[in-house]
Amino acid sequence: MKTAVITGASKGLGRAMAFAFAEAGFAIAICARREEELMKVEKEIQGKGGNVLAICADVSSGRDVDRFITMTEHKFGKIDVL
């Protein structure tokens, strides 16, 4: 299974891409700053059988990005699409 990382996944284009990659059979790691909205997206994708990891993170923070990537690699082993 391939893994895609999608930022800004709580709304708009990021959300749409998260659903598209999940429907295409990718495992996906998603992040956004708004935790409540992000968790709703995670639950929707899981409800459709998607393999998803959601992490609240601000991509302007190096610490958040490092944590997000580390957790993604730990869960899925690799990243194929950024």
Side-chain angles (χ1 to χ4, degrees):
M1 177 177 293
K2 291 194 176 201
T3 302
V5 169
I6 301 156
T7 62
S10 64
K11 61 182 182 175
L13 289 174
R15 184 180 186 281
M17 286 188 289
F19 280 93
F21 274 100
E23 288 172 7
F26 281 72
I28 59 169
I30 59 174
C31 76
R33 292 177 293 158
R34 293 175 182 88
E35 185 173 19
E36 185 176 328
E37 293 175 28
L38 182 66
M39 295 306 123
K40 287 178 185 178
V41 172
E42 178 186 43
K43 286 182 183 179
E44 286 181 59
I45 291 171
Q46 287 174 337
K48 294 181 178 189
N51 188 5
V52 59
L53 169 67
I55 304 293
C56 187
D58 181 344
V59 296
S60 69
S61 164
R63 176 182 279 172
D64 280 8
V65 171
D66 288 344
R67 179 174 54 86
F68 177 51
I69 296 303
T70 298
M71 292 177 80
T72 299
E73 289 174 333
H74 179 36
K75 178 167 176 117
F76 299 122
K78 63 182 176 133
I79 297 171
D80 299 292
V81 178
L82 290 172

